[in-house]
């Protein structure tokens, strides 16, 4: 059984949206998109994030830690 996926995002949804529009690199866009989806409630699990971003669940976990 895996651990629950809980992430505390300090930025507001508007701040994330603005940062996403101004992101330059693909990797920063992916990470900001992940945070935006979590903050907006569109996605709540590591698995659904991994599917949407076409990344492994371990990658999602690593991104959340850093």
């Amino acid at each position: 059984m895996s651990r629950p996926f809980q992430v505390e995002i300090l930025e507001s949804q508007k701040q994330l949206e603005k940062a996403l529009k101004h992101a330059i690199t693909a990797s920063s866009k992916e990470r900001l998109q992940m945070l935006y989806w979590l903050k907006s409630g569109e996605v709540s699990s590591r698995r659904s994030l991994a599917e949407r971003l076409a990344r492994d669940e371990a990658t999602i976990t690593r991104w959340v830690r850093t």
Side-chain angles (χ1 to χ4, degrees), residues 6 10 20-21 25 30 34 36-37 42 48 51 58 64:
Q6 296 177 343
L10 302 176
L20 187 56
K21 287 180 183 178
T25 64
E30 284 181 317
M34 173 188 72
Y36 179 81
W37 284 334
E42 283 186 52
S48 52
E51 289 172 0
V64 169

Side-chain angles (χ1 to χ4, degrees), residues 14-26:
K14 284 198 179 269
Q15 288 173 319
L16 291 170
E17 193 173 342
K18 185 176 180 180
L20 187 56
K21 287 180 183 178
H22 295 291
I24 296 172
T25 64

Side-chain angles (χ1 to χ4, degrees), residues 6-11 35 39 64:
Q6 296 177 343
V7 180
E8 182 181 352
I9 303 169
L10 302 176
E11 295 82 1
L35 293 173
K39 187 71 170 191
V64 169

Side-chain angles (χ1 to χ4, degrees), residues 2-3 7-8 13 15 24 29 37 40 45 47 60-61 63:
S2 65
R3 295 181 307 205
V7 180
E8 182 181 352
Q13 194 170 336
Q15 288 173 319
I24 296 172
K29 287 181 182 181
W37 284 334
S40 68
S45 73
R47 176 171 289 165
I60 302 301
T61 302
W63 285 357

